[in-house]
Each structure stands twice: as structure tokens, then as C-alpha cells.
Amino acid sequence: MLDKDNLIPINANPIDLFKSWYGLASETEINDPNAMTLSTISKLNRPSTRIVLLKSFDYQGFVFYTNSNSKKGKSISLNKFASLNFHWKTQKKQVRIDGEVEVVNSNIADEYFNTRPLGSKIGAWASLQSEKLSDRSLLYKRVNEVREKYKNTTVPRPLHWNGYLVKPNLIEFWHVRPDRLHDRVEFLKSENGWESHRLFP
């Protein structure tokens, strides 16, 4: 018997479809519906993955923020392509996004940085992200030094702390179906917009 109910709309705009799925996940996911796996490639052509948080998205792409001196920041500086994956267990859905990465405008990064809690701003200065740490007391010492330095003024955004825009050229939507006959639709960016097709599960 064919299962034609609630299939992924193949002719949708993928950003609009993502917005719809993200909205549903925001209502049902207990923690961090904006959590996404970010995969980058090192200078040795080895993949590396970690969880980061989506901070905004629009028709241009998907934005996250990080220390540019971190492992992922250095990887992106060498290889501008990355992959994202959202898994919303409560919705039984996934979205996979491949694309080219670029640093967002400094004004946009400043604007977002100013919305962060004070502790997060201080941490952005204090942490030598991804470098070896011999003792956590060194980290706390750096935190206290930064806190003292900026105790009577606004904490500015470090120049090494930036926003990254993943501009998608591929977006795949995945929805669980019975018997592992999952529904998959892939959208590919072209000069004329988006082309789409359904995939075998």
C-alpha cells in the first residue's frame, strides 16, 4: 500500500520549509532546537565534527559564531566548505546542509556579541579555544583578569571572535517513515534557484 500522506513537499522553497520544521522543533525539543552538527575539513583533509548553535538564518544561509583561532575556525580558513546537520528527535526529522562558508560583516558580529550574557563575553576573551590547557586554574585566572579589565566598561567583541554564514548549495530533508522507508527530498542550488528531487531511503 502506497503511503502518500504527509510527504515532504518537493516544490517548496527549502529555506521556507526549514523555517517551518524549525518552528515545530522549537515547540517540542526539550533542549536547544538550534543545535546542529558542524563538519569541517582540516589541512590534512580529515573531517572533524562538533555541535554548535544556529543563531540566525535567512535566504542567504545559516549563521553561527565562534573563535576564529579554534580548530573549526582554522579549518574554515583553509577549506571554505562545511556541512551542517540538524536532528530533531521529537519530530523524527533531519536536515542536512552543505555549503560554502564566509565570515559575516563585523557590524553584524558586534550586534550579536552585545546581546550575549556578560560571562559569555568574558569567556570569549579568556579562552584560548582549542589550545592545550594544563590546569583549569589558568583558565579561571584569565577569566578574572578579563573581568577586572572590563569591570567599569562594556566588553568589546574580540577581533578573533566572528560569525560564520554557511551559504547552502545543497539542503536535504529527511522524515522517518514506517519500515525505514524514510522520505527524503534533496534541494540543489542552481543559477535559476533550487532544483529538487526525491531520494531512495
Side-chain angles (χ1 to χ4, degrees):
M1 181 176 179
L2 293 177
D3 182 4
K4 295 184 178 181
D5 295 331
N6 300 316
L7 292 179
I8 299 168
I10 196 168
N11 295 319
N13 180 293
I15 304 300
D16 291 336
L17 183 55
F18 177 87
K19 182 178 180 180
S20 175
W21 281 26
Y22 183 76
L24 292 172
S26 297
E27 296 176 358
T28 58
E29 291 293 310
I30 298 174
N31 295 308
D32 300 324
N34 60 331
M36 59 187 185
T37 300
L38 166 67
S39 297
T40 57
I41 301 296
S42 74
K43 64 181 179 181
L44 299 176
N45 291 321
R46 295 176 179 172
S48 182
T49 63
R50 75 287 285 163
I51 301 295
V52 299
L53 297 179
L54 175 72
K55 291 303 179 180
S56 65
F57 68 93
D58 57 22
Y59 291 107
Q60 287 192 313
F62 303 80
V63 176
F64 67 94
Y65 291 84
T66 193
N67 187 325
S68 295
N69 295 326
S70 66
K71 183 175 181 179
K72 56 185 171 294
K74 290 177 180 178
S75 291
I76 291 169
S77 70
L78 295 170
N79 187 320
K80 299 296 184 182
F81 292 91
S83 184
L84 306 175
N85 191 81
F86 294 85
H87 178 216
W88 297 307
K89 192 171 184 178
T90 57
Q91 292 291 321
K92 299 182 179 180
K93 294 175 179 176
Q94 291 188 66
V95 180
R96 182 171 65 89
I97 300 163
D98 293 344
E100 188 173 355
V101 187
E102 66 180 35
V103 178
V104 304
N105 182 280
S106 59
N107 291 331
I108 295 174
D110 286 340
E111 184 177 348
Y112 174 70
F113 188 82
N114 291 334
T115 68
R116 303 186 89 207
L118 177 61
S120 296
K121 293 177 182 178
I122 291 172
W125 280 100
S127 176
L128 303 175
Q129 194 174 121
S130 299
E131 293 191 17
K132 292 181 179 179
L133 176 63
S134 59
D135 193 301
R136 282 187 65 86
S137 62
L138 175 60
L139 174 61
Y140 298 136
K141 179 176 182 292
R142 290 179 60 86
V143 167
N144 290 333
E145 289 172 349
V146 175
R147 193 182 301 276
E148 180 65 21
K149 179 179 180 179
Y150 294 110
K151 67 178 181 180
N152 294 318
T153 187
T154 300
V155 181
R157 177 181 65 87
L159 293 180
H160 60 261
W161 191 92
N162 290 293
Y164 290 88
L165 171 69
V166 180
K167 300 183 296 182
N169 53 48
L170 180 152
I171 305 179
E172 180 191 328
F173 294 84
W174 178 99
H175 191 187
V176 70
R177 308 297 285 184
D179 301 322
R180 302 194 66 81
L181 300 178
H182 309 312
D183 189 21
R184 298 173 60 192
V185 173
E186 183 179 74
F187 294 83
L188 297 173
K189 193 71 176 288
S190 70
E191 294 181 357
N192 299 319
W194 290 96
E195 299 176 357
S196 59
H197 48 263
R198 209 170 295 277
L199 301 175
F200 275 92

